[in-house]
Amino acid sequence: MAISRGHRFPVEFDEAFPQGLVMVGEVSPDNEYQSREDRAAGRPARQRVDEITGKRQWKVTVTDPSEPNAKRASFEVTLLADVQPVPTTGEVLPGMRPVELEGLTAEPRVAGNGEFKYQSYVFRASGFKAVNTGGGRGKSQGGPAESAKAA
């Protein structure tokens, strides 16, 4: 029995990101490519929709402090939600806030160019975990996520 391409494996957040994640910037809509002709004609940008869940996609940049390779530490996460997710954690530095995802899944991918290929993952989640006021890594609440994270 073969596992189909694009299968999403469930994974615990602490296993994937032992030191948590830091969200950099704000959540924005993940829009489809819009050609010059479409922009000139005044056509509105269309937001992408996840083909499996049917939810709208939002994107945000995160950093994994446990990643030893600096070039792979920051990556984009796609949040899957009907409305724009708003994290409830406060900023620890301007534009930076710790987050933790729940319902996390990992989809294996091959990344890189030519002979410099490596194993990476696309992460998706059902939402952000509620804020933990007990110190340590912060947590927030919002919508699902996807990301290209290198192994």
Side-chain angles (χ1 to χ4, degrees):
M1 179 174 151
I3 297 173
S4 62
R5 183 175 187 262
H7 181 76
R8 299 173 182 180
F9 295 92
V11 63
E12 290 296 320
F13 180 83
D14 292 333
E15 290 178 30
F17 308 106
Q19 294 181 6
L21 289 175
V22 177
M23 185 174 107
V24 180
E26 299 298 324
V27 177
S28 62
D30 186 11
N31 293 327
E32 293 178 356
Y33 173 76
Q34 191 175 27
S35 69
R36 225 180 287 170
E37 292 81 19
D38 289 341
R39 284 191 297 267
R43 293 187 184 102
R46 291 181 16 180
Q47 192 170 0
R48 289 188 172 121
V49 174
D50 182 57
E51 61 277 352
I52 294 176
T53 64
K55 296 188 180 281
R56 292 197 282 167
Q57 296 183 5
W58 308 86
K59 61 184 177 180
V60 67
T61 302
V62 296
T63 298
D64 180 5
S66 62
E67 175 59 55
N69 186 336
K71 292 182 180 181
R72 299 180 192 172
S74 290
F75 50 93
E76 201 167 79
V77 171
T78 301
L79 306 171
L80 305 175
D82 293 325
V83 296
Q84 182 174 350
V86 179
T88 59
T89 54
E91 294 182 336
V92 291
L93 291 172
M96 299 179 78
R97 62 184 78 220
V99 294
E100 187 170 338
L101 306 171
E102 66 182 353
L104 190 64
T105 62
E107 179 184 339
R109 291 267 170 98
V110 175
N113 295 319
E115 59 188 79
F116 303 104
K117 294 190 187 288
Y118 56 91
Q119 175 73 53
S120 69
Y121 296 92
V122 173
F123 290 104
R124 295 176 180 86
S126 61
F128 292 110
K129 286 190 179 177
V131 177
N132 180 6
T133 57
R137 149 175 93 210
K139 302 173 187 176
S140 36
Q141 189 171 7
E146 166 192 314
S147 70
K149 163 79 171 91

